[in-house]
Amino acid sequence: MQTVILAAGESSRFWPLNQTHKSLLKIMGRPLIWYTLEGLRKSGVKEAIIVQGPKREIEKELKSSHCESGSRNLVIKYVVQKKSKGMGNAIFRAENLINEPFLVLDPYHFEAGEVIKEMIEKSKKTKAGLILMGRETDKPWNYGILKLDNDRAMNLIEKPEKGMEPSSIRVIGIYLLPLDFFGYYKRVKENMYALEDALALYMKEKDTRVVITKKETPSLKHPWDLLKVTKSLMDKSLKPKIEKSAKIAKNVVIKEPVYIGKNVKIFENAVIKGPCYIGNNCVIGNNVVVREYTNLEDNALIGANAEVTRCIFQKDVHTHCGYFGDSIFDQNCRVGAGTITANVRLDREEIKSVVKKEKISTGFTSLGTIVGQNTKIGINCSLMPGVLIGSNCTIGPNSVVLENIKDNTTFYIKFEGIKKEKIKKS
């Protein structure tokens, strides 16, 4: 079966981790899209067509990191969507390469390989041309919701009003499409939701069925979703190992499962409590505690006396002493001594964050800060729960960050006697 993977979107709601396509963020040394490709390969899929943006960064990363060769027996082809015009237009870019019924999915549906067989069996049993994957939700107003007659899909309503939803089953972004679907797409007006319009048109004219799954399906709509994805991937895929070239002091405590990469240095009295991943050339200082579901990519450095728990550090992130909980730092960040990421509200309520000027619930009661690439944070800073800090920022010493900070911003608090003044400079 051919599979189209949609990896060309701008991911604006994934800020501040959207300097590169979100499928290229690395967990356990691999870009997220690799886990999807590997799942497809194991399920027997022979060809993947990746729709990428004009920078062709997906293609460059997979080739430079040798991920293509890792997905042996899976042919990978690439097409480019020059402008972000929605999922329907992205699928249409691949039309000339498609010669049979085909699967469509996002690049972070790692479980797709597990559900493909169910969709194929449903197609064979019902003779339906189009098969959708659905899952129950308690918040139907946030998703595309199906109108159903048993397992037959009758219509698709995008983000219905509360109380007006036709069912509680949402489309989860895995589609088995027939060749004639392209004809239906050409009949609808091009817009960001043309895929949904074409699906609805097909449902009205031809038999469309739904496979309803109870499997957890990862979402990467918002940046904090990466923490849940990391936990899921570590539970399934983390392989404990300590490379021979790692230098670990005698009194270091390691509680598996833990992966420790090549040339890692771990100094005296450090404690590593798995599951954890520590990439190549990392340095863990004296008395450091690294706790469960922490992912440190290559060249990360944790200074003496720090505690890091349930965090994701992309490559080349350096921190001195401090506390880092339930937080994400994109590559090449620097954090000064004494900096704290507060990850719990004083009232212990669910943490909210601001995305595109809208305050939304994160679903977390423990969530620290999320920081973009190349940002520098001074000593003794306090970063409040759910705060998002952009790329290429400078946060001055002793700053208390209570709200989001845009990309390319210098932020600090100036003290003059007892007078305190907040300064923001973009």
Side-chain angles (χ1 to χ4, degrees), residues 296-310:
L296 306 179
E297 291 299 321
D298 293 352
N299 305 309
L301 185 152
I302 311 296
N305 304 307
E307 181 178 356
V308 181
T309 180
R310 298 182 300 276

Side-chain angles (χ1 to χ4, degrees), residues 298-330:
D298 293 352
N299 305 309
L301 185 152
I302 311 296
N305 304 307
E307 181 178 356
V308 181
T309 180
R310 298 182 300 276
C311 284
I312 301 166
F313 289 5
Q314 293 295 291
K315 67 177 183 179
D316 202 31
V317 172
H318 295 187
T319 72
H320 289 276
C321 64
Y323 174 75
F324 307 94
D326 304 286
S327 296
I328 305 172
F329 290 82
D330 208 342

Side-chain angles (χ1 to χ4, degrees), residues 115 118-120 122-123 131-135 151 169 172 209-213:
V115 300
E118 294 181 63
M119 300 180 78
I120 293 173
K122 175 73 74 170
S123 177
I131 307 295
L132 304 174
M133 180 63 64
R135 192 171 189 274
D151 69 337
I169 303 301
I172 63 171
R209 301 297 175 116
V210 181
V211 173
I212 299 175
T213 182

Side-chain angles (χ1 to χ4, degrees), residues 28-29 233-235 237-244 246-248 252-262 264-266 270-280 282 284 288-296 308:
M28 296 185 291
L233 286 175
M234 282 194 175
D235 286 341
S237 305
L238 180 63
K239 297 179 180 179
K241 182 179 181 180
I242 299 176
E243 292 285 355
K244 293 181 179 179
K247 296 181 179 180
I248 302 173
V252 170
V253 176
I254 297 176
K255 296 185 178 180
E256 292 196 352
V258 172
Y259 177 90
I260 298 175
K262 297 177 181 178
V264 169
K265 296 179 181 178
I266 304 180
V271 177
I272 315 294
K273 296 182 177 180
C276 288
Y277 175 90
I278 301 173
N280 299 330
C282 290
I284 310 296
V288 168
V289 177
V290 178
R291 290 172 50 198
E292 64 276 2
Y293 298 109
T294 288
N295 183 92
L296 306 179
V308 181

Side-chain angles (χ1 to χ4, degrees), residues 13-14 17 22 32 108 110 143 218-232 312 328 360-364 367 370:
R13 291 186 177 274
F14 210 67
L17 302 180
K22 57 189 175 182
L32 292 174
Y108 45 83
F110 320 119
Y143 304 99
S219 170
L220 274 181
K221 184 177 182 180
H222 299 112
W224 51 82
D225 293 330
L226 187 60
L227 294 166
K228 290 183 179 179
V229 166
T230 298
K231 182 180 184 300
S232 176
I312 301 166
I328 305 172
I360 61 175
S361 297
T362 64
F364 286 86
L367 177 64
I370 300 174

